Amino acid sequence: MTRSSFLAAAALFTLTSTAALAQGEGPVSYEEQLAQVENQLTYQAPIAGIENDYWFNYQTDLAEARKELTKDLRGASDAEDNRDAWEEYRAELADARGDYAKEMAEKGYPVGQVRVLSDTGR
């Protein structure tokens, strides 16, 4: 796990745990928290604004992952099944995002990275 994804996961863990407990819900599993972080990392718009087959395939992959998650959670009989469903969902989102970015990079649309550095008071 990269430092930025770890920090995002840690921040989300704090927010979701606090929100869940404030709403009276039980604790959220670690796998579900990671899946929520991965869900926030999904592309909301096509890379470089190009709507092509790769973008539509990516959207289809996301829809299939959500459908599979719903089916798996309905069929979950215990906490382990629930965690497995969330982990599978997270992995499918990550794979879809990586595949889409790779295909677009191969077509000449590299994905940029933004890094936020902390202010050291200078």
Side-chain angles (χ1 to χ4, degrees), residues 30-50:
Y30 178 70
E31 292 80 7
E32 183 175 352
Q33 292 168 22
L34 290 179
Q36 290 171 356
V37 170
E38 192 65 48
N39 192 42
Q40 290 179 346
L41 295 174
T42 59
Y43 292 107
Q44 302 301 310
I47 295 173
I50 307 296

Side-chain angles (χ1 to χ4, degrees), residues 27 37 46 58 61 82 87 89 114-115:
V37 170
Y58 175 62
D61 291 344
N82 192 304
E87 174 54 28
Y89 176 66
V114 176
R115 295 181 184 213

Side-chain angles (χ1 to χ4, degrees), residues 57-70 89 92:
N57 289 342
Y58 175 62
Q59 294 299 306
T60 301
D61 291 344
L62 295 179
E64 288 176 4
R66 290 178 184 121
K67 183 178 178 181
E68 181 77 17
L69 173 65
T70 302
Y89 176 66
E92 289 177 9

Side-chain angles (χ1 to χ4, degrees), residues 80-100:
E80 184 176 353
D81 289 345
N82 192 304
R83 288 191 304 269
D84 288 345
W86 281 108
E87 174 54 28
E88 182 180 344
Y89 176 66
R90 185 210 56 78
E92 289 177 9
L93 292 182
D95 288 345
R97 185 170 45 89
D99 291 346
Y100 173 58

